[in-house]
Amino acid sequence: MEARPPPERGSLKIILTSLSSVLTSLDCILSFHLRSSWFWLASSDITPAEEREGARCITACLSPLLRSGRVEAEMPPPRTGRGLLWLGLVLSSVCVALGSETQADSTTDGLNVLLIIVDDLRPSLGCYGDKLVRSPNIDQLASHSLLFQNAFAQQAVCAPSRVSFLTGRRPDTTRLYDFNSYWRVHAGNFSTIPQYFKENGYVTMSVGKVFHPGISSNHTDDSPYSWSFPPYHPSSEKYENTKTCRGPDGELHANLLCPVDVLDVPEGTLPDKQSTEQAIQLLEKMKTSASPFFLAVGYHKPHIPFRYPKEFQKLYPLENITLAPDPEVPDGLPPVAYNPWMDIRQREDVQALNISVPYGPIPVDFQQKIRQSYFASVSYLDTQVGRLLSTLDDLQLANSTIIAFTSDHGRQSMDLVELVSLFPTLAGLAGLQVPPRCPVPSFHVELCREGKNLLKHFRFRDLEEDPYLPGNPRELIAYSQYPRPADIPQWNSDKPSLKDIKIMGYSIRTIDYRYTVWVGFNPDEFLANFSDIHAGELYFVDSDPLQDHNMYNDSQGGDLFQLLMP
């Protein structure tokens, strides 16, 4: 790789990402659950100038897809859109759409909510400028929404991230850093987004992977607190990690790469197909309901393993698949920040490669196959989203429904936002009272929120602006964190249990910089010791956009970090 000079230093304003620098040569291939996610919100309160600009931007975004007949031939066409304003976030995504008949001069009242949660979806989408990935349905929805380019998850692991944004609390408040505790018992009896809507007259329903299943949601997906009915899980979920992948040897394996003939897999279906069908049935039932609904639909793909209908692989010939653009370990990356991707290594096809731990590179041809299957999984997911949104249109529910689209692990706006803002923003868009800001500490407070209210981006004239939302983009800061069991990579570095957490990485992200400190952590008392700094990272995003040059040792180190903590 051609050597690049380190960036020039600027004034020490600081940033934080969800540990994008923990990734190395596999950055573009394997970092989808550790790096970027995004957040969209939409409203009908749109000016003609904004509509023209949005149309110009999305036309440029979609033109590679529109020029290719293969999308239309092999994938269902995108649904028709409405006059909505769009917002997207990078690092966990949410897309909210208000119907075009919503009154612009008052708060919305009685709107339904469709919350779509996608597992490990990075912004590899046409609407984010990716010219290879074919995602016409999501792109069409995005074309009518307000896009944020800088949005951040608060932790880059499924259970902690979902509990964080569904409660509106940060991981240090939920005290969930792994998969092995239930926040209502372990930290506090915190209200959730669906619970708040349920308590305000909504029928709340869960389909697929919304909360992470298991202990972290009390083995009930937080029922009965959050849901009016028992949550639905597709029966074929149990086969996701079993030997259902036909290998080159003709035998079945538990592989990372798993294109399948759907008719040949157990039950003749896949989890996301079942979830879409169940969600469609619920929408049909709610069409005549006197109460508004809150329907959350959680999709598994593109989470590993890449188990998807094999016909989607044809959209991405291997000769068209490029490699990650930045394959080297960043200069000065501390070992504690490196992710050894142990979950990937457990798959049979990866084990067969005999890759050295922790820094051994994946063979180039297998890298291409990984990227091919990831993109194919995204396109498969896109068809499921398209079916869901088409049903909303067919039932004439689109004009009365807020659509939120998010991934647990971005009109164009460079303002930094966080996923913990989903709770207050959805409540405000639906016309409910926005929960108050949390005091410090807030373990005894059931209903409050730590995220900012983003309603100002929707320009509702009668809605009170959050006084905690700064007007200057350079005043905005996003926070995230990630636990580690040791200073060097080991078998449980990517997913340590609470008892094994010895170090916590805290990141601060501003428009200009990303700043991370790795500090000692006491898992028994849930305390971080900022005087016990194990390592640090500082990247100047403007001059070093790929964050390859760690300037931490040239800075003032960890002294500034505590001044900026929320």
Side-chain angles (χ1 to χ4, degrees):
M1 185 175 97
E2 181 181 354
R4 284 170 287 182
E8 295 181 1
R9 293 184 56 202
S11 60
L12 202 57
K13 286 186 74 110
I14 347 187
I15 18 181
L16 171 99
T17 173
S18 173
L19 304 185
S20 60
S21 66
V22 302
L23 308 164
T24 64
S25 60
L26 305 173
D27 178 292
C28 254
I29 304 169
L30 300 176
S31 68
F32 31 88
H33 73 292
L34 286 175
R35 193 155 189 170
S36 290
S37 44
W38 23 283
F39 175 32
W40 310 335
L41 299 170
S43 157
S44 60
D45 188 15
I46 187 169
T47 68
E50 290 168 335
E51 188 171 90
R52 289 192 297 272
E53 177 63 11
R56 183 194 66 77
C57 292
I58 203 64
T59 298
C61 169
L62 291 177
S63 58
L65 300 178
L66 297 177
R67 286 195 298 268
S68 170
R70 294 187 64 182
V71 173
E72 297 179 2
E74 299 180 25
M75 300 179 65
R79 61 190 287 270
T80 57
R82 310 208 180 275
L84 306 174
L85 188 62
W86 121 300
L87 157 153
L89 298 115
V90 179
L91 230 182
S92 259
S93 26
V94 183
C95 166
V96 179
L98 291 182
S100 58
E101 296 177 1
T102 301
Q103 296 297 318
D105 58 352
S106 64
T107 57
T108 58
D109 183 29
L111 288 172
N112 305 310
V113 176
L114 173 60
L115 172 60
I116 304 171
I117 301 176
V118 181
D119 207 343
D120 286 359
L121 176 64
R122 59 186 292 146
S124 296
L125 298 165
C127 54
Y128 276 91
D130 194 307
K131 296 180 179 181
L132 179 63
V133 175
R134 303 189 175 193
S135 50
N137 296 290
I138 296 173
D139 295 344
Q140 181 66 26
L141 179 62
S143 70
H144 301 285
S145 308
L146 172 64
L147 174 64
F148 282 89
Q149 294 285 0
N150 288 291
F152 297 87
Q154 277 51 74
Q155 187 171 332
V157 175
C158 289
S161 177
R162 289 170 186 247
V163 169
S164 175
F165 71 72
L166 287 169
T167 62
R169 315 279 185 122
R170 301 181 187 279
D172 276 344
T173 301
T174 66
R175 291 181 168 174
L176 180 65
Y177 312 103
D178 57 8
F179 297 80
N180 302 318
S181 65
Y182 181 42
W183 77 91
R184 293 188 189 273
V185 174
H186 201 59
N189 191 30
F190 308 143
S191 296
T192 69
I193 298 174
Q195 177 184 353
Y196 187 58
F197 277 79
K198 178 184 175 185
E199 292 170 349
N200 281 274
Y202 279 69
V203 176
T204 59
M205 301 164 286
S206 174
V207 173
K209 186 178 178 181
V210 178
F211 285 99
H212 193 280
I215 298 174
S216 62
S217 58
N218 201 34
H219 297 284
T220 63
D221 296 87
D222 196 44
S223 289
Y225 293 98
S226 289
W227 311 110
S228 302
F229 308 105
Y232 169 86
H233 282 275
S235 59
S236 62
E237 270 183 347
K238 58 182 174 286
Y239 305 110
E240 274 293 279
N241 294 292
T242 60
K243 294 179 181 290
T244 58
C245 314
R246 188 76 61 185
D249 58 2
E251 301 297 322
L252 294 177
H253 299 273
N255 285 344
L256 173 66
L257 311 182
C258 192
V260 299
D261 185 334
V262 175
L263 295 179
D264 289 342
V265 299
E267 301 188 30
T269 188
L270 295 172
D272 289 347
K273 294 171 70 71
Q274 286 186 288
S275 291
T276 299
E277 290 158 5
Q278 176 68 13
I280 288 173
Q281 292 180 24
L282 291 174
L283 288 173
E284 291 171 344
K285 291 180 180 179
M286 294 308 298
K287 167 69 175 175
T288 58
S289 173
S291 301
F293 65 80
F294 181 106
L295 172 60
V297 182
Y299 287 116
H300 282 265
K301 296 304 120 187
H303 190 286
I304 60 172
F306 301 127
R307 187 167 172 261
Y308 59 92
K310 64 182 182 181
E311 56 267 26
F312 286 91
Q313 194 178 55
K314 299 176 184 178
L315 294 171
Y316 302 98
L318 276 175
E319 58 267 24
N320 294 343
I321 304 299
T322 59
L323 298 176
D326 193 26
E328 303 299 328
V329 176
D331 294 342
L333 183 78
V336 69
Y338 182 80
N339 174 31
W341 40 278
M342 298 306 296
D343 193 7
I344 301 292
R345 296 176 187 272
Q346 296 172 20
R347 313 293 165 164
E348 290 184 29
D349 50 352
V350 178
Q351 287 180 342
L353 299 173
N354 197 27
I355 301 170
S356 62
V357 180
Y359 297 108
I362 289 181
V364 168
D365 61 336
F366 201 79
Q367 290 184 39
Q368 289 179 298
K369 292 177 181 178
I370 290 176
R371 290 164 67 80
Q372 177 192 48
S373 281
Y374 181 80
F375 299 151
S377 297
V378 172
S379 293
Y380 162 54
L381 161 75
D382 182 79
T383 64
Q384 302 307 307
V385 173
R387 290 181 61 200
L388 197 57
L389 299 180
S390 292
T391 299
L392 208 64
D393 276 340
D394 294 343
L395 296 174
Q396 298 182 335
L397 290 170
N399 286 342
S400 59
T401 301
I402 299 169
I403 304 171
F405 182 97
T406 181
S407 176
D408 56 356
H409 276 326
R411 202 193 11 160
Q412 299 265 4
S413 172
M414 294 305 294
D415 286 1
L416 275 76
V417 290
E418 302 174 290
L419 284 195
V420 284
S421 292
L422 180 59
F423 195 156
T425 306
L426 270 184
L429 288 172
L432 305 181
Q433 182 175 351
V434 176
R437 293 276 300 196
C438 290
V440 180
S442 64
F443 297 106
H444 61 289
V445 181
E446 293 186 9
L447 179 63
C448 67
R449 43 88 184 193
E450 297 185 47
K452 299 177 176 67
N453 180 359
L454 303 179
L455 285 179
K456 80 163 193 174
H457 294 284
F458 297 88
R459 301 181 181 178
F460 290 121
R461 288 187 288 273
D462 292 346
L463 293 178
E464 182 178 353
E465 185 172 304
D466 192 332
Y468 294 91
L469 191 62
N472 183 350
R474 295 190 176 276
E475 296 175 359
L476 298 173
I477 296 175
Y479 304 90
S480 61
Q481 60 190 97
Y482 202 89
R484 289 285 194 241
D487 285 300
I488 59 175
Q490 60 184 49
W491 66 272
N492 61 341
S493 286
D494 47 0
K495 291 188 292 186
S497 297
L498 174 63
K499 64 180 177 60
D500 298 321
I501 298 173
K502 301 297 187 293
I503 302 166
M504 188 68 72
Y506 289 92
S507 289
I508 296 174
R509 180 67 155 85
T510 72
I511 290 295
D512 303 311
Y513 304 96
R514 179 170 73 80
Y515 180 53
T516 301
V517 289
W518 298 90
V519 301
F521 185 81
N522 184 328
D524 298 319
E525 299 181 0
F526 306 96
L527 288 178
N529 182 359
F530 284 88
S531 64
D532 178 23
I533 297 178
H534 290 233
E537 298 171 76
L538 175 62
Y539 303 94
F540 299 86
V541 177
D542 185 50
S543 57
D544 184 21
L546 295 179
Q547 300 178 36
D548 284 326
H549 302 281
N550 181 10
M551 307 297 292
Y552 177 82
N553 291 332
D554 298 330
S555 72
Q556 298 179 41
D559 295 340
L560 295 171
F561 193 91
Q562 296 183 66
L563 300 176
L564 296 170
M565 286 297 289

